[in-house]
Amino acid sequence: MQGGRRVSLLLGNIVDALGGSLEGGLRDTEVVRIAPLESAGPGDISFLSHPRYQQQLAASRAACVIVAPAMREPALARGACIVTDNPYAYFARVTQLWRQQEGRAPVLGVHPSAVVDEGAVVHPSASVGPLCVVERGAHIGAGTVLKSRVTVGADCHVGARCILHAGVVIGADGFGFAPQAGEWIKIEQLGAVRIGDDVEIGANTCIDRGALQDTVIEDGVKLDNLVQIGHNVRIGKHSAMAGCVGVAGSATIGAHCTVGGGAIVLGHLELADNVHISAATVVTRSLTKPGQYTGMFPIDDNVRWEKNAATLKQLHSLRERIKALEQALKAA
Amino acid sequence: MQGGRRVSLLLGNIVDALGGSLEGGLRDTEVVRIAPLESAGPGDISFLSHPRYQQQLAASRAACVIVAPAMREPALARGACIVTDNPYAYFARVTQLWRQQEGRAPVLGVHPSAVVDEGAVVHPSASVGPLCVVERGAHIGAGTVLKSRVTVGADCHVGARCILHAGVVIGADGFGFAPQAGEWIKIEQLGAVRIGDDVEIGANTCIDRGALQDTVIEDGVKLDNLVQIGHNVRIGKHSAMAGCVGVAGSATIGAHCTVGGGAIVLGHLELADNVHISAATVVTRSLTKPGQYTGMFPIDDNVRWEKNAATLKQLHSLRERIKALEQALKAA
Amino acid sequence: MQGGRRVSLLLGNIVDALGGSLEGGLRDTEVVRIAPLESAGPGDISFLSHPRYQQQLAASRAACVIVAPAMREPALARGACIVTDNPYAYFARVTQLWRQQEGRAPVLGVHPSAVVDEGAVVHPSASVGPLCVVERGAHIGAGTVLKSRVTVGADCHVGARCILHAGVVIGADGFGFAPQAGEWIKIEQLGAVRIGDDVEIGANTCIDRGALQDTVIEDGVKLDNLVQIGHNVRIGKHSAMAGCVGVAGSATIGAHCTVGGGAIVLGHLELADNVHISAATVVTRSLTKPGQYTGMFPIDDNVRWEKNAATLKQLHSLRERIKALEQALKAA
């Protein structure tokens, strides 16, 4: 169900706003929904993000399909299409056009239920939602949207055009304690958090303030829900992390990295630019070369897992037995 | 410590309310606490959920024990009992009776500190707790309870008799971005979240709105705390997930499934009905048959783990060495 | 960037407040920042927590370095130092002195936007931050600080000098349901949560109330962000858990334990005192001996991981093949 308010656009409106070439169809054809190829009906616009879905293209009942130049012929054989270099990015921009049409832009300014310290700076074009807390010395940049129940702690800086979803906590204390005589002495966290422009942060995600210096999230970073970023971490431009990721203190992550859901990055490590971590993988050492890295136990039927897991606990000795066999065979 | 207000019930009240047969005891025996068999005292009611705890039954000082028909004889040998087909479910209903007696039902209506959009619909028998946010177009069903600090986003629908615990976020944007020239283009999330009846959602759990269609949680689903449900996920009736589970976008999970704590389900997968995933397991493929599935590295003493983990990184070559040995022996 | 307000201290002030012996420097030397050895400038105080960083000591431009007695000579060769038995704990106390100087102590009392039930008890020296919820029968001890948007549920008890960071939920219902005819019957959670003194709890962390008895967090425990503690868990004194840890119901964890980020402790287990669990490890059995325990799949290049993971699913049969080879060779 898309929105409360009905949206409709003409194909001509779409290409006027976003570019691309409308072929095999009429500018005044109306579309009332964006839909995947297989479920699109005659009032819908759809998209073909990858040639491997070409079969779905042929069968689709969509009014218009967004396609790459290489798919122009099969698309035209079916009906109207918009031809563009990056159909998936074009689709993303269509969703943005849709959202604008809904007339549901966030209300500018500070919601009356929010608690904003008088020593905080909120840009007039920013939106601070219901029941948010913005502490003294904090800075909220132009066009940035804090959804409901977001906390931005003292002296933390959020750049322009960011989106912080409900429940986000920026600038809680990092987890720092010195052991003494079996107890923990608190290390006051004297740094803050600095977040660049165009950063999106998912619901209930936490980014801790630094111990002595700042925790830094660079421009264009995207974090999903329930992500934990420890103190003094640095995340490079346009990196993205899926839900439930944990990054321990003082890790430095490069630009254009991706981290899959539930992965853990241990502290004080460095990840180069363009490193990609698979879901649920534990990063225990620095990764200096771009590439895809994985470490997860393969799922199996429980009975087979039990057998293999039990054997795994003897793996080192199995290796010794193989060595012994090799030597025995050589000697024979 | 149970409640602030002292509760007491007569055994007769309990069987009148919940059925079952009271044997070997008096209707006017008073019980003032529900307790496990081993710690129950003479003013307590207890239960025997499984025959393997029969020894604890014999030793228990409880005023009355809830037992299955098969345990009737040993229970009577000890004292009063309530005989019922499913003692654990009966115990659950006794806790509900207890809660009612405490006179602490959630206050109906909307707490004055909550922020409820005038375009939202809250059923008169629902309870919206302190500092909740209910956005325009949202719907809160009959008898549903939102504890404190819950967000229900625009156009999201919560059915009847649901419980949403503190900090829950329903309807934050799904994590959707299209890559273009090294940056991420936001895909506006135009769907909503639809939650059925009798659903319980744990503290700080997040359920994202769908990209084009809705994210759907069917009737009777139970989610623990800090669970992440991605956009366009569907969870079938009466499935349950323990704490810290992450389900990535567009996964479809059947009815009567269970997912153990910390497990991760990757996106676009299908799990059949009655699939059970062990804790901390990563589901990387669709599971079409009911059953228990597991994938976790077995815990060990750190020194042994290090040896086995190091060998694991050579496992494929070990297999080759075994093959070579087999061939050599065959040739010999 | 440290704080909004500039802090400066004389070395003489520091040793007067915290002890230790100032050597090779002047009491009236002013320091304006605390910094790591490698980035410290001539206005900064730094510390040497471990002899392995001795090389950084020699090169550091810090005005003064906190060192252990064994490092006194090399430190003096460089310039001013404060000699103390535990330099890291001393550094922690310097950060506390810094925080005090900033004049940013939490405001005592209850913030006007907080919702505190009239049946709750908040000590006059406690601080309840903006948009917190404290339910009936809850108790907040002396000197305890609730940051913004914390929920403390009915009848839960928080001791003295605790810090609960933003978004914390104490006393949501534990995850308890009895299966009956394919549905789940709710087990009302009649216990509460009892938290000792000097406990720190990270942002968006959840501690569930007990089913029949209380969930107990003993004195001095430190929990990081996004940690999930199930019902009826007990955590012993001065244990610490990093971010994203999940502890399932009725687990009992000893004193002075540590649990690394993302680890999962299954329910009804017991961990002895001084047990240390590595990050992302799944604790599937009780651990009765102190020590370090680990279970995680080692990260690798994705291609190598795929080969090794595929072989892992045949590991049990590989063991059988090794056995067969051994027997064949013996027979030969």
Side-chain angles (χ1 to χ4, degrees):
Chain A
M1 196 175 4
Q2 282 168 21
R5 183 173 149 190
R6 194 111 192 118
V7 171
S8 80
L9 284 167
L10 304 184
L11 294 179
N13 298 151
I14 293 174
V15 290
D16 288 351
L18 305 180
S21 129
L22 172 62
E23 304 191 26
L26 300 170
R27 282 183 52 86
D28 59 2
T29 296
E30 187 187 33
V31 286
V32 298
R33 211 174 57 139
I34 313 171
L37 279 175
E38 69 275 21
S39 64
D44 300 347
I45 184 167
S46 192
F47 64 99
L48 177 67
S49 60
H50 196 280
R52 71 170 163 260
Y53 302 119
Q54 193 180 330
Q55 209 164 0
Q56 289 176 25
L57 171 66
S60 180
R61 298 166 57 233
C64 177
V65 179
I66 306 160
V67 296
M71 289 293 110
R72 189 177 167 276
E73 293 311 318
L76 278 173
R78 193 205 63 90
C81 63
I82 293 172
V83 182
T84 180
D85 282 345
N86 184 339
Y88 195 53
Y90 195 98
F91 152 67
R93 294 195 193 280
V94 174
T95 65
Q96 295 177 5
L97 204 58
W98 223 261
R99 180 50 42 96
Q100 284 167 31
Q101 293 294 316
E102 287 178 348
R104 292 199 158 180
V107 182
L108 299 195
V110 175
H111 191 276
S113 66
V115 178
V116 177
D117 189 273
E118 55 183 27
V121 176
V122 177
H123 193 278
S125 67
S127 169
V128 175
L131 304 171
C132 288
V133 176
V134 182
E135 298 182 3
R136 66 192 155 194
H139 175 107
I140 310 296
T144 282
V145 176
L146 275 54
K147 302 280 188 184
S148 59
R149 303 196 297 99
V150 169
T151 289
V152 178
D155 302 315
C156 294
H157 187 287
V158 182
R161 297 175 304 279
C162 295
I163 302 172
L164 276 58
H165 287 282
V168 162
V169 179
I170 305 297
D173 281 350
F175 197 63
F177 300 93
Q180 187 177 45
E183 306 196 1
W184 300 103
I185 314 295
K186 182 173 176 68
I187 299 168
E188 291 290 342
Q189 304 290 300
L190 303 172
V193 179
R194 270 188 295 130
I195 295 173
D197 299 333
D198 302 300
V199 170
E200 186 162 342
I201 302 178
N204 283 346
T205 281
C206 302
I207 304 179
D208 279 349
R209 63 177 61 244
L212 297 175
Q213 278 123 2
D214 290 348
T215 303
V216 178
I217 311 294
E218 296 186 1
D219 294 347
V221 166
K222 311 296 180 188
L223 304 180
D224 197 354
N225 300 351
L226 292 168
V227 169
Q228 155 64 2
I229 306 294
H231 55 181
N232 298 106
V233 165
R234 174 179 281 269
I235 304 180
K237 287 185 182 184
H238 308 297
S239 285
M241 299 188 180
C244 307
V245 163
V247 180
S250 301
T252 300
I253 292 173
H256 305 290
C257 293
T258 58
V259 182
I264 296 282
V265 181
L266 298 192
H268 297 272
L269 302 181
E270 291 194 28
L271 274 59
D273 295 349
N274 297 298
V275 160
H276 303 285
I277 305 297
S278 301
T281 293
V282 191
V283 184
T284 51
R285 57 183 171 87
S286 290
L287 299 169
T288 56
K289 288 185 191 163
Q292 181 86 32
Y293 297 86
T294 310
M296 73 177 81
F297 202 106
I299 188 172
D300 209 344
D301 171 278
N302 188 65
V303 173
R304 284 195 297 266
W305 170 78
E306 278 193 350
K307 279 187 182 176
N308 288 322
T311 313
L312 180 52
K313 294 182 80 164
Q314 314 162 6
L315 186 56
H316 184 71
S317 70
L318 286 185
R319 193 179 72 124
E320 298 307 308
R321 283 161 68 183
I322 294 170
K323 261 193 213 166
L325 281 164
E326 287 167 339
Q327 280 160 4
L329 206 66
K330 209 171 177 184
Chain B
M1 198 171 7
Q2 283 169 19
R5 183 174 149 191
R6 194 113 191 115
V7 171
S8 80
L9 284 167
L10 304 185
L11 295 180
N13 299 150
I14 294 174
V15 290
D16 288 351
L18 306 179
S21 127
L22 172 61
E23 304 191 27
L26 301 172
R27 282 182 54 85
D28 60 359
T29 296
E30 187 186 34
V31 286
V32 297
R33 212 175 57 140
I34 313 171
L37 278 176
E38 68 275 22
S39 64
D44 299 347
I45 184 167
S46 191
F47 63 100
L48 178 66
S49 60
H50 196 280
R52 72 171 162 260
Y53 302 119
Q54 192 180 331
Q55 208 165 1
Q56 288 175 26
L57 170 66
S60 180
R61 297 165 59 232
C64 177
V65 179
I66 305 160
V67 296
M71 289 292 112
R72 189 177 167 275
E73 293 311 320
L76 278 173
R78 193 206 62 91
C81 62
I82 293 173
V83 181
T84 180
D85 281 345
N86 185 338
Y88 195 53
Y90 195 98
F91 153 67
R93 295 196 193 279
V94 174
T95 65
Q96 295 178 4
L97 204 57
W98 223 261
R99 179 51 42 96
Q100 285 168 30
Q101 292 294 316
E102 287 179 348
R104 292 198 158 180
V107 182
L108 300 194
V110 175
H111 191 276
S113 66
V115 178
V116 177
D117 189 274
E118 57 184 26
V121 176
V122 177
H123 193 279
S125 66
S127 168
V128 176
L131 304 171
C132 287
V133 176
V134 182
E135 297 181 7
R136 66 191 157 198
H139 175 105
I140 311 296
T144 282
V145 177
L146 275 54
K147 302 281 188 184
S148 58
R149 303 198 295 99
V150 169
T151 289
V152 178
D155 302 315
C156 294
H157 187 288
V158 182
R161 297 175 304 279
C162 295
I163 302 173
L164 276 58
H165 287 283
V168 161
V169 180
I170 305 297
D173 281 352
F175 197 64
F177 301 93
Q180 187 176 45
E183 306 196 1
W184 300 104
I185 314 296
K186 181 172 177 71
I187 299 168
E188 291 290 343
Q189 304 291 299
L190 303 172
V193 179
R194 272 189 294 131
I195 295 173
D197 299 332
D198 302 300
V199 170
E200 186 162 340
I201 302 178
N204 284 345
T205 281
C206 301
I207 304 179
D208 279 350
R209 64 176 61 243
L212 297 176
Q213 279 123 359
D214 290 347
T215 303
V216 178
I217 311 294
E218 298 187 1
D219 294 346
V221 166
K222 310 295 179 187
L223 304 179
D224 198 356
N225 300 350
L226 292 168
V227 169
Q228 155 64 3
I229 306 294
H231 55 181
N232 298 106
V233 166
R234 174 179 282 268
I235 303 180
K237 287 186 182 184
H238 309 297
S239 284
M241 299 190 179
C244 307
V245 162
V247 181
S250 301
T252 300
I253 292 173
H256 305 290
C257 293
T258 58
V259 182
I264 296 283
V265 180
L266 297 191
H268 298 271
L269 302 181
E270 291 193 29
L271 274 59
D273 295 349
N274 296 299
V275 161
H276 303 284
I277 305 296
S278 301
T281 292
V282 190
V283 183
T284 51
R285 57 183 172 88
S286 290
L287 300 169
T288 57
K289 288 185 192 164
Q292 181 85 33
Y293 297 85
T294 310
M296 73 175 83
F297 202 105
I299 188 172
D300 209 344
D301 172 276
N302 187 65
V303 173
R304 284 195 296 264
W305 170 78
E306 279 193 350
K307 279 187 184 177
N308 289 322
T311 312
L312 181 52
K313 295 181 79 165
Q314 314 163 5
L315 186 58
H316 183 72
S317 69
L318 285 186
R319 192 179 73 123
E320 298 306 308
R321 285 160 67 182
I322 293 170
K323 263 195 213 166
L325 281 164
E326 286 166 339
Q327 282 161 1
L329 206 66
K330 209 171 178 182
Chain C
M1 194 177 4
Q2 283 168 18
R5 182 173 148 192
R6 195 111 190 115
V7 171
S8 80
L9 284 168
L10 305 185
L11 295 180
N13 300 148
I14 295 174
V15 290
D16 288 351
L18 306 179
S21 129
L22 172 61
E23 304 192 24
L26 301 171
R27 282 183 53 86
D28 60 0
T29 296
E30 186 187 33
V31 286
V32 298
R33 211 175 58 140
I34 313 171
L37 278 175
E38 67 277 21
S39 64
D44 300 347
I45 184 167
S46 192
F47 63 99
L48 177 67
S49 60
H50 196 279
R52 70 171 165 260
Y53 302 120
Q54 193 180 330
Q55 210 165 359
Q56 288 176 25
L57 171 67
S60 180
R61 296 164 60 232
C64 178
V65 180
I66 305 159
V67 296
M71 289 292 111
R72 188 178 169 274
E73 292 311 319
L76 278 174
R78 193 205 63 89
C81 62
I82 293 172
V83 181
T84 179
D85 281 346
N86 184 339
Y88 195 52
Y90 195 98
F91 152 67
R93 295 194 192 280
V94 174
T95 65
Q96 295 178 3
L97 205 56
W98 223 260
R99 179 52 42 98
Q100 285 168 30
Q101 292 294 314
E102 287 178 350
R104 292 200 157 181
V107 182
L108 300 195
V110 175
H111 191 276
S113 66
V115 178
V116 177
D117 188 273
E118 55 184 27
V121 177
V122 177
H123 193 279
S125 67
S127 169
V128 175
L131 303 170
C132 287
V133 176
V134 182
E135 298 181 4
R136 67 193 155 193
H139 175 106
I140 310 296
T144 282
V145 177
L146 274 56
K147 303 281 188 183
S148 58
R149 303 198 296 100
V150 169
T151 289
V152 178
D155 302 316
C156 294
H157 187 287
V158 181
R161 297 175 306 278
C162 295
I163 302 172
L164 276 58
H165 286 283
V168 162
V169 180
I170 304 297
D173 281 351
F175 197 63
F177 301 93
Q180 187 176 46
E183 307 197 0
W184 300 104
I185 314 296
K186 182 172 176 70
I187 298 169
E188 291 289 342
Q189 304 290 300
L190 303 172
V193 179
R194 272 189 294 131
I195 295 172
D197 299 332
D198 302 300
V199 170
E200 185 160 343
I201 301 179
N204 283 346
T205 281
C206 302
I207 304 178
D208 279 351
R209 65 177 60 241
L212 297 176
Q213 279 123 359
D214 291 347
T215 303
V216 178
I217 312 294
E218 297 187 2
D219 294 346
V221 165
K222 310 296 179 188
L223 304 179
D224 199 355
N225 299 351
L226 292 167
V227 168
Q228 155 63 3
I229 306 294
H231 55 180
N232 299 104
V233 166
R234 173 179 282 269
I235 303 180
K237 288 187 181 185
H238 309 298
S239 285
M241 299 189 179
C244 307
V245 162
V247 181
S250 302
T252 299
I253 292 172
H256 305 290
C257 293
T258 59
V259 182
I264 297 282
V265 180
L266 298 191
H268 297 271
L269 302 180
E270 291 194 29
L271 274 59
D273 295 349
N274 296 298
V275 161
H276 303 285
I277 305 296
S278 300
T281 292
V282 191
V283 183
T284 51
R285 57 182 172 88
S286 290
L287 299 169
T288 56
K289 287 183 191 165
Q292 181 86 33
Y293 296 86
T294 310
M296 74 176 81
F297 202 106
I299 189 173
D300 208 344
D301 171 276
N302 187 66
V303 173
R304 282 195 297 264
W305 170 78
E306 278 193 351
K307 280 188 182 176
N308 288 322
T311 312
L312 180 53
K313 294 181 80 165
Q314 315 162 4
L315 186 57
H316 184 73
S317 69
L318 284 186
R319 193 180 71 125
E320 298 306 309
R321 283 160 69 183
I322 293 170
K323 262 195 214 166
L325 281 164
E326 287 166 340
Q327 280 160 4
L329 205 67
K330 210 171 176 185

